[in-house]
Amino acid sequence: MPRHVAIVTDSTAYLSPAALAKRRITSVPLTVVVDGRAYDEGVGISAEALAEALRRHRPVTTSRPSPETFADTYRQVAEAGADAIVSLHLSAEFSGTYDAAVLAAREAPVPVRVVDTGMVAMALGFSALAAAEAAEAGRGPDDVVAAATERAAGTSALFYVDTLDYLRRGGRIGTAQALLGSALAVKPLLELADGRIQPLEKVRTASRAIARLEELTVERAAAIDGPVEVAVHHLAAAERADQLAAHLRARLPRLAELHVSEVGAVIGAHTGPGLLGTIVCPG
């Protein structure tokens, strides 16, 4: 039987096909353009191919889904039996995805609540999962939105990048900040706060930065009452990610679940190879 409220998100949530199917979440893909050729995120270009394109300084850009794409999605979800839709998306500071969804929602055949979660990657994914759980429990749109926003508010998103240059190219940080980091030869630790990428700490070497990322993740997890869920993300840094995940499993006694995944093309295009990130939220 179709549930009352359907959940829509976008491909930057990086939920697996199995998780999307299990929770009955619909994902709308963003687009990545490499050498002038457009791909839906997750289709047609692998993370490995993207990393190689970035290393070779080939032109890589990203774009939002069109309002028409969202309109088609909302119509299909309504035709499948939904009475209302909650549409959860990456921070509007990073993309026009939220704005496109808002435009489409005005003409949707059922009420659509569009939410800028202020998050991205599994920080968005965990919010979508919380919304799906509330919807499965028969909650109305207001309660589903509240579940998603509460989960997002309790989530920490921390990450390390080998260089700030990719974030500078994409306009996600200022040129002066990126050049300062390069001049000082520091390895930056960053945080997603208020929907924006904020500098957290500067560390002198990659190994020290990754060790500090582990410590900060443990601290954020310890500040949560009850069980915690953690995601470890990477781009072309699988060994680093697996090692960090193993350390966190050993150090987090209240760990409910730990996800390890490579980010998709949209986030990878702006962070570059070597990205290592952690997402921590209440379980």
Side-chain angles (χ1 to χ4, degrees):
M1 177 181 297
R3 66 190 181 198
H4 178 65
V5 180
I7 309 302
V8 173
T9 189
D10 61 67
S11 58
T12 68
Y14 299 135
L15 292 168
S16 69
L20 292 171
K22 179 179 179 181
R23 295 299 187 185
R24 295 157 65 189
I25 299 170
T26 301
S27 179
V28 178
L30 275 72
T31 301
V32 61
V33 182
V34 180
D35 277 342
R37 184 174 178 182
Y39 305 90
D40 283 346
E41 184 170 33
V43 180
I45 184 168
S46 67
E48 180 180 355
L50 172 76
E52 184 60 22
L54 292 169
R55 291 190 189 101
R56 292 175 177 270
H57 300 287
R58 290 162 57 192
V60 179
T61 59
T62 61
S63 63
R64 71 180 191 178
S66 68
E68 291 76 18
T69 297
F70 274 112
D72 287 344
T73 299
Y74 295 153
R75 184 165 50 251
Q76 291 168 16
V77 170
E79 288 172 354
D83 296 321
I85 299 168
V86 172
S87 198
L88 304 159
H89 301 292
L90 79 162
S91 171
E93 295 286 341
F94 298 160
S95 167
T97 300
Y98 169 80
D99 293 332
V102 168
L103 287 172
R106 295 172 182 168
E107 306 300 327
V110 297
V112 180
R113 296 282 298 277
V114 183
V115 180
D116 172 7
T117 66
M119 293 292 171
V120 74
M122 273 300 293
L124 169 59
F126 284 134
S127 184
L129 291 172
E133 290 167 7
E136 288 167 1
R139 311 291 288 275
D142 288 346
D143 288 339
V144 171
V145 170
T149 54
E150 182 179 355
R151 177 69 61 87
T155 296
S156 294
L158 312 171
F159 61 105
Y160 157 85
V161 291
D162 277 335
T163 173
L164 291 169
D165 191 47
Y166 295 101
L167 288 166
R168 177 192 61 78
R169 290 184 207 173
R172 268 56 184 183
I173 61 168
T175 300
Q177 182 183 331
L179 291 177
L180 179 63
S182 299
L184 297 176
V186 297
K187 296 297 183 180
L189 290 174
L190 306 164
E191 179 176 21
L192 186 57
D194 299 323
R196 299 179 179 180
I197 296 171
Q198 309 281 3
L200 190 59
E201 295 183 8
K202 296 175 182 177
V203 186
R204 283 292 180 183
T205 67
S207 60
R208 289 180 180 177
I210 293 169
R212 184 59 181 147
L213 177 63
E214 178 183 328
E215 293 301 323
L216 289 168
T217 303
V218 171
E219 290 174 11
R220 298 295 175 93
I224 294 173
D225 291 330
V228 297
E229 289 195 70
V230 174
V232 175
H233 286 307
H234 73 94
L235 179 62
E239 186 174 344
R240 282 177 175 175
D242 289 341
Q243 185 176 49
L244 176 58
H247 290 178
L248 293 173
R249 286 190 183 97
R251 297 188 63 184
L252 299 177
R254 292 182 285 107
L255 182 65
E257 193 167 357
L258 193 150
H259 312 256
V260 181
S261 65
E262 195 160 27
V263 297
V266 169
I267 300 305
H270 294 292
T271 60
L275 163 74
L276 191 62
T278 59
I279 313 295
V280 183
C281 79

